[in-house]
Amino acid sequence: MHELLTRTTARLRAVTGSPTPVLAAAASAAVTVAGLLVLTLALVVVSALDPDGGLSTGQDTALAARLWLLAHGAGLDWQAGSLALAPLVLTAAVAWGISSAARWVVAERDLGSARDVLTAAGTVAGGHLLLTVLVALLVTGPDAAVQWPRTLAGAVLLPLLAAAWGAGRESGWAGELLGRVRGPGPAVARGVLAGTWWLLALAFAVVAVALVGDVSGVAALATTLGGAGAGAVGLVGLSALLLPNAAVAVLGLAAGPGFAVGAGTLVSTAGVTLGAVPALPLLAALPDTQAVPLLAFVSQVLPAAAGLVAGTATARRLTDADGGAVTAALWGVVTGVGVGVLTGVLCLVGGGSLGDGALAEVGAPALATGLATAAQAGLAAAIAAAVTRWRG
C-alpha cells in the first residue's frame, strides 16, 4: 500500500497549479483506490491457491470492498445475520493512509494558516467520506445490506480524526495548540497516551503467549479448510487482521469483566465457559478447558501496570507551578481515569458481532471494562505520580 500511495502522490506532484482542495481530493481518492487494490490483490492471490478456482475476480473485488467498509466500523446484514466487527489492522491502515494524505497536501502546498490547513483536512476527510458511501452503495445487494447508521458514523469520524491529526501535525498547529494549554493538561494527556500504549503492548504480549502455548491448536485450525494452501492462508490472514481485536478483548479479561466470543464462550477470572467458535487460528489462544488458566490471573496486573506508567509519565511533566506530591496524586487519578476511558473506547471499536444468535456478541464489554480499568489504573497512577513528584 505504501508503494501505491508513493506512486500515486508522485503523479499528483506532476499536476502543477491545481488548487489545494483539488489536490486534497485527489490525495484522498488515492488512499481509497490503493487500499481497495491491495485488498483485492491479496484476495486474488488467496483464490489462486485454491485448486477448485476459488472466487472470481469480481467476487474478490466485492469482498475487498466489504472488508474496506468493515474497517470503517460499518455493519453488514448477511443471510447468517449481522456482521459488525472492524478488523483493526485495516482500520489502522486506513487511518494512516488518510493522515499521510493530509500531511502530504499540507507539505506540498506549504500551508501555514489555520484556514488553509482546515480546508485541506476537511477536503481529505470529505472526499474519503463520499468515496466510502459510494463503495457502500456499490456493494449493497440481495446477499448483503449495509447498516447505514454504523457505516456513516465510521465514514465520518475515522477520516475526520485522521485528516485533522495529519494536517495539524505537518503544519505544526497540533503542537502549537498543545503548547497554548496551560496547567497540567498536556502532562495528563501524555500520561494517558503512555499508559494506554503500555496497556495495549502488554495485552499483545498476553495474546502472543497464549498462541505460543498452543502451537498445535493454531496449526490445526489453520489447516481446517481445504483448497490446498488457500484455506490456511485465508485463515491466517484473517487472524492477522483481527490480532488487535484479540488484544483489546484481553483488556476485558485483565480488568475483570472478561470477554465473550459469542453467547456460548465467556473467558474471565471468575470462570470459563466454552462453546462453539469459528475455526480461526487466532482462537486457539482460548483456554482448552473450563479451568481458568494461570495467564488469565497474571493478566490482572495490566491495568495497574498501565496506571504506574501513566502516573509516572504525568508527574515527570508537571512543573513547579502545578503543586507538590498531593496534587500530583490527584492528577494521577485523572490520568488513570483517562486510560480507562480510552480502554472503553477501544473495546467499543474492537468488539462487535459475527452473526445473529450464538455469535451476536464478540469482545469485551466496553462500559464495564472502561470503569474497572479506570478504577485500577487511577489508584496505581495516583501512587506513581505522588512518589515520582516527591522524589523529583
Side-chain angles (χ1 to χ4, degrees):
M1 183 173 181
H2 177 71
E3 293 182 0
L4 286 173
L5 285 174
T6 302
R7 293 176 183 176
T8 305
T9 52
R11 294 175 182 175
L12 290 174
R13 287 192 179 95
V15 182
T16 60
S18 299
T20 298
V22 174
L23 198 64
S28 179
V31 175
T32 300
V33 172
L36 290 175
L37 283 176
V38 169
L39 284 175
T40 302
L41 179 61
L43 292 172
V44 168
V45 170
V46 172
S47 295
L49 297 175
D50 192 339
D52 296 328
L55 300 176
S56 65
T57 303
Q59 291 173 322
D60 286 329
T61 303
L63 181 56
R66 286 162 182 163
L67 284 173
W68 184 258
L69 292 177
L70 289 175
H72 290 74
L76 300 174
D77 290 324
W78 299 75
Q79 294 179 352
S82 174
L83 177 60
L85 185 66
L88 293 183
V89 168
L90 286 182
T91 302
V94 173
W96 173 82
I98 298 169
S99 176
S100 299
R103 291 186 64 180
W104 178 79
V105 173
V106 171
E108 183 70 14
R109 287 291 182 261
D110 194 20
L111 303 179
S113 68
R115 179 179 179 180
D116 291 339
V117 172
L118 289 175
T119 298
T123 305
V124 170
H128 192 86
L129 167 62
L130 292 177
L131 289 174
T132 303
V133 171
L134 177 60
V135 171
L137 290 172
L138 291 176
V139 302
T140 298
D143 58 334
V146 175
Q147 299 174 5
W148 285 106
R150 287 181 59 98
T151 302
L152 291 176
V156 170
L157 291 176
L158 180 62
L160 185 61
L161 293 175
W165 169 251
R169 183 181 177 186
E170 183 65 30
S171 64
W173 275 92
E176 185 175 340
L177 289 176
L178 189 61
R180 291 179 180 178
V181 178
R182 302 300 178 185
V188 171
R190 293 179 182 275
V192 169
L193 291 178
T196 305
W197 277 117
W198 270 96
L199 184 61
L200 277 175
L202 293 173
F204 272 107
V206 171
V207 174
V209 171
L211 288 173
V212 171
D214 193 4
V215 176
S216 59
V218 174
L221 288 175
T223 56
T224 296
L225 296 182
V233 173
L235 288 175
V236 171
L238 182 57
S239 295
L241 293 180
L242 295 174
L243 188 59
N245 300 72
V248 171
V250 168
L251 300 183
L253 175 64
F259 64 89
V261 185
T265 300
L266 175 65
V267 181
S268 71
T269 53
V272 175
T273 303
L274 298 178
V277 296
L280 285 177
L282 181 61
L283 295 181
L286 291 172
D288 295 327
T289 65
Q290 302 286 348
V292 179
L294 176 61
L295 186 61
F297 290 107
V298 173
S299 69
Q300 299 293 287
V301 304
L302 266 62
L308 293 175
V309 172
T312 302
T314 298
R316 287 178 175 175
R317 289 174 174 81
L318 293 176
T319 64
D320 294 336
D322 295 325
V326 175
T327 304
L330 295 175
W331 286 118
V333 173
V334 175
T335 304
V337 171
V339 173
V341 171
L342 284 186
T343 299
V345 172
L346 287 172
C347 291
L348 183 63
V349 174
S353 64
L354 290 174
D356 293 337
L359 291 175
E361 182 180 353
V362 176
L367 182 59
T369 301
L371 290 175
T373 302
Q376 298 172 58
L379 178 59
I383 297 173
V387 172
T388 302
R389 188 67 172 161
W390 174 68
R391 293 182 61 183

